[in-house]
Amino acid sequence: MPVEYPQISIGGLTRADLRSALVAAGVETNPSAETLLASEVFDHKAAETIHPVALTVGELGLTSGARLSQILSTAPGHGLALCPLMAAPYLRLAMLNQETAQDSIMSSGRVPSGSVTIASTPPCPEIDEYPTGFYLRTIDGISWLRGYHCTDEYIWPPTAHFMFQFPPCVDSADNIGLRAERSHQRILHRVP
């Protein structure tokens, strides 16, 4: 079942202030996340509000799994929008109480357990070595903001969780026909 979260403010911080906020919150990053955080999209941007919602690939109707391009292109048909790339660290800060993953395997060529991938347009799809995007994961009680690499050949399983947003003109999941579990806490609940 999709999980709706309270609206959060993204942007408005300088790159240095954003990094300081991540460090102060005890958020760990990997080298791919550091590469993405160095991107110009994190140059001082005006604050905006997003209304996040998490759901699985299967809940998008892609019950056999799908490529990233299919996942991202299917979302608008469900009344969802992609998150801006810059939303990821702000989502990480808003969801520090994410449930700890069942294992601590960091990289294995598959979707990590307990992860929530931020549904955003890959920043440099023409450069294979450049990270594709971010995901959130908590490992042994430590909150991580991790970057990942993925070609469009990879098939994401139907159980993979993605974080989208409601378009600004849509108030909630109820308005688009999704039966969302309302969560007014800043805790990421695992969707079964």
Side-chain angles (χ1 to χ4, degrees):
M1 175 175 272
V3 180
E4 183 179 347
Y5 294 93
Q7 293 183 1
I8 68 162
S9 179
I10 64 170
L13 295 178
T14 65
R15 187 190 319 265
D17 289 342
L18 180 57
R19 285 181 182 272
S20 292
L22 291 168
V23 169
V27 173
E28 296 286 337
T29 57
N30 66 348
S32 294
E34 289 298 324
T35 297
L36 290 167
L37 288 168
S39 166
E40 65 186 30
V41 302
F42 290 99
D43 290 342
H44 190 68
K45 300 282 185 183
E48 62 182 272
T49 300
I50 66 167
H51 190 164
V53 60
L55 64 162
T56 66
V57 171
E59 289 168 335
L60 287 170
L62 303 168
T63 57
S64 296
R67 292 183 165 103
L68 184 61
S69 61
Q70 294 170 301
I71 295 165
L72 300 181
S73 65
T74 298
H78 292 273
L80 301 170
L82 302 183
C83 293
L85 185 67
M86 75 167 191
Y90 294 94
L91 286 164
R92 173 73 287 169
L93 290 168
M95 299 173 181
L96 292 173
N97 293 328
Q98 179 182 14
E99 186 177 317
T100 295
Q102 294 176 353
D103 65 57
S104 58
I105 298 170
M106 293 293 217
S107 180
S108 65
R110 63 171 175 78
V111 176
S113 69
S115 65
V116 178
T117 303
I118 308 305
S120 60
T121 302
C124 297
E126 67 283 353
I127 303 172
D128 290 340
E129 299 80 28
Y130 202 82
T132 306
F134 287 106
Y135 67 91
L136 312 179
R137 191 170 184 224
T138 298
I139 304 165
D140 298 328
I142 298 171
S143 296
W144 282 82
L145 174 64
R146 296 182 59 83
Y148 71 94
H149 294 263
C150 175
T151 69
D152 204 40
E153 299 306 309
Y154 178 74
I155 303 297
W156 293 75
T159 55
H161 288 81
F162 277 81
M163 184 73 70
F164 294 91
Q165 69 167 321
F166 293 113
C169 61
V170 177
D171 293 333
S172 72
D174 298 331
N175 289 345
I176 62 169
L178 286 176
R179 291 191 175 112
E181 173 184 328
R182 293 201 182 268
S183 171
H184 296 293
Q185 302 171 15
R186 291 187 179 242
I187 299 173
L188 185 60
H189 297 280
R190 292 279 298 142
V191 179

